[in-house]
Amino acid sequence: MTKTYNVVGIGNAIVDVLTQSDDSFLELMGIEKGIMQLVEKDRGEVLYGAMTSPTQAPGGSVANTLAGLGNLGLKTGFIGRVHDDALGRFYADQMTQGGTDFVNPPVAGGELPTSRSMIFVSPDGERSMNTYLGISAELGPEDVSGDVAGQAEILFLEGYLYDKPKGKEAFETAARLCRENGGQAGIALSDPFCVDRHREDFKRLVGQLDFVIGNEHEWKSLYEVEDLNEALALATAANGLIVCTRGGEEVVLSKGGETVRVPVKKVVPVDATGAGDQFAAGFLYGVATGQSLETCGKMGCVSAAEVISHFGARPEVSLKELFQKEGVL
C-alpha cells in the first residue's frame, strides 16, 4: 500500500531568529556558548531586543530535517503547533512553500505565542541558542492525526518533545500509529542535557524504535560512560539501527551486527546551525530509498557539509545534485 508521506516529523515548530555576535557579547548577555538553553518569555524579549539585523526562518530540529528531505524530492508532513499570530502564520506559510504539509492549522486564542529561538552565531560558526517554547510546549496527542502518522513510511521524532508531558504523549501516540500501520519510527536524541533529563525514557525508546540518531556526547550521556565504544555497544545490543555523529570525525552506523565507519571531509563552518538536522535528512533519504548503511551515512555527511557552508539551517542548493557529484547517488 502506498503511503501519503515518505517522512512525517513531529517536533517543536520554532521560528529561528539569527544574528551574528562575538564571544564578548555572549559573555555580556550571560549566554552560554554553543548550547541550546530554554528561556522564559521575559528573557526571550530581552535577547530579541539585543539582536542586530536579525534574519528569521522557520526552524526547529525536525522541521529543518523535513526541509532537507523536501529538497531531495520526498513527500513530507510536519506535526507541530503554532499560534495564529504573525510568526505562526509566517512559519506555516514557509513550511508549505518549502513543500512540507503543515498539517495542523495555526491555533487562535490563548495566551501563548508562537515559539522562537534567538540564535547568536559566533565567528567560529558555533551557535548559541536561546529558545522560548511558547505554544509549541502545548503540542499533545490531540494534535496527532492517524491520517498523518499512520500514513508515514518513516516517522522522525525530536527528543526535545519529552520536556513536556503532553509532548511525550504526542510522540508515543504518533510512533504507535506509524508502526501499527507498517511504518518505521525513530528519534534524534537532541542534546546531552535533554538526554540527562529523560535518560530512562530514552533508553526504553532505543530498545523500541527502529532507528536512533545521536552524537557522541549524547550516546555517552545516555549510558553514563566515558568510552564511546562502550556506549555504542550497549545501544547496538538494544536496537536495530544506531547512528553516531562525531562533530567532524567519522560517523559510526551499526545495524544487525554490521558496523560501518564513514569518513567526514573537513569543512570550516560558516554557521554550524542545522548540521545534525541535515545529516538526519541525508541519512533518512538513504533509509527511505533503500540504500546501504554506508551510503546512508555518506548522504548524511554530504547534506551536513552543505548546510554548514552558509548562514542558516536549511540547504540552499540541490542535495540530489551534490549526491551525484560526490558519487553517492
Side-chain angles (χ1 to χ4, degrees):
M1 186 179 88
T2 304
K3 302 271 191 182
T4 307
Y5 298 104
N6 300 117
V7 182
V8 167
I10 175 169
N12 288 308
I14 298 172
V15 177
D16 284 344
V17 187
L18 297 110
T19 191
Q20 290 172 303
S21 63
D22 57 22
D23 290 358
S24 61
F25 174 84
L26 298 181
E27 205 171 303
L28 177 71
M29 298 300 293
I31 297 167
E32 196 164 341
K33 185 177 177 180
I35 68 162
M36 195 289 286
Q37 287 181 300
L38 294 176
V39 298
E40 295 303 320
K41 190 176 181 182
D42 291 350
R43 169 75 169 158
E45 287 172 356
V46 168
L47 293 174
Y48 185 79
M51 302 182 96
T52 52
S53 306
T55 58
Q56 67 182 40
S61 179
V62 163
N64 289 337
T65 297
L66 293 174
L69 288 163
N71 176 291
L72 283 159
L74 295 193
K75 179 68 176 154
T76 57
F78 180 61
I79 299 168
R81 195 171 175 89
V82 296
H83 187 64
D84 189 11
D85 54 17
L87 281 181
R89 290 187 292 274
F90 164 80
Y91 192 97
D93 288 348
Q94 289 289 307
M95 290 294 287
T96 303
Q97 284 176 31
T100 292
D101 282 356
F102 191 77
V103 300
N104 300 321
V107 179
E111 293 179 7
L112 290 172
T114 295
S115 313
R116 72 284 314 260
S117 183
M118 280 63 69
I119 303 175
F120 297 88
V121 184
S122 303
D124 62 2
E126 276 287 346
R127 68 208 191 280
S128 307
M129 305 168 71
N130 302 266
T131 303
Y132 168 59
L133 280 179
I135 199 170
S136 244
E138 296 294 301
L139 183 75
E142 67 277 8
D143 295 306
V144 178
S145 159
D147 291 341
V148 178
Q151 281 295 315
E153 291 172 15
I154 296 171
L155 182 75
F156 187 46
L157 308 160
E158 183 177 299
Y160 286 131
L161 275 189
Y162 263 66
D163 280 329
K164 296 286 181 178
K166 284 180 73 177
K168 178 177 171 177
E169 287 177 50
F171 192 106
E172 307 255 352
T173 299
R176 178 178 51 76
L177 288 166
C178 173
R179 299 184 85 209
E180 281 176 359
N181 286 280
Q184 298 182 69
I187 183 177
L189 294 176
S190 293
D191 79 19
F193 302 103
C194 187
V195 171
D196 287 342
R197 293 191 292 270
H198 308 293
R199 183 169 287 108
E200 294 313 310
D201 275 325
F202 284 0
K203 278 185 179 174
R204 175 175 57 81
L205 288 173
V206 168
Q208 289 177 350
L209 297 179
D210 298 290
F211 61 89
V212 183
I213 304 172
N215 66 32
E216 58 184 318
H217 307 295
E218 291 155 5
W219 285 116
K220 289 194 284 191
S221 171
L222 184 63
Y223 292 104
E224 298 180 277
V225 296
E226 287 301 314
D227 182 75
L228 179 62
N229 291 328
E230 184 182 349
L232 295 182
L234 290 165
T236 304
N239 183 282
L241 176 52
I242 291 297
V243 183
C244 177
T245 59
R246 300 172 59 220
E249 302 299 323
E250 61 184 9
V251 175
V252 183
L253 303 95
S254 292
K255 183 181 182 180
E258 178 191 4
T259 297
V260 300
R261 295 176 183 272
V262 177
V264 173
K265 284 184 183 174
K266 289 281 197 280
V267 179
V268 177
V270 172
D271 170 16
T273 310
D277 305 337
Q278 295 312 324
F279 174 87
F283 165 76
L284 289 174
Y285 179 80
V287 173
T289 56
Q291 307 297 326
S292 70
L293 212 51
E294 184 177 11
T295 299
C296 290
K298 286 180 176 176
M299 287 177 162
C301 292
V302 172
S303 302
E306 189 283 333
V307 82
I308 66 173
S309 70
H310 57 76
F311 206 53
R314 299 185 173 195
E316 291 185 346
V317 301
S318 164
L319 292 178
K320 227 176 227 182
E321 287 179 13
L322 280 183
F323 288 173
Q324 287 163 343
K325 187 176 162 188
E326 295 293 333
V328 295
L329 189 64

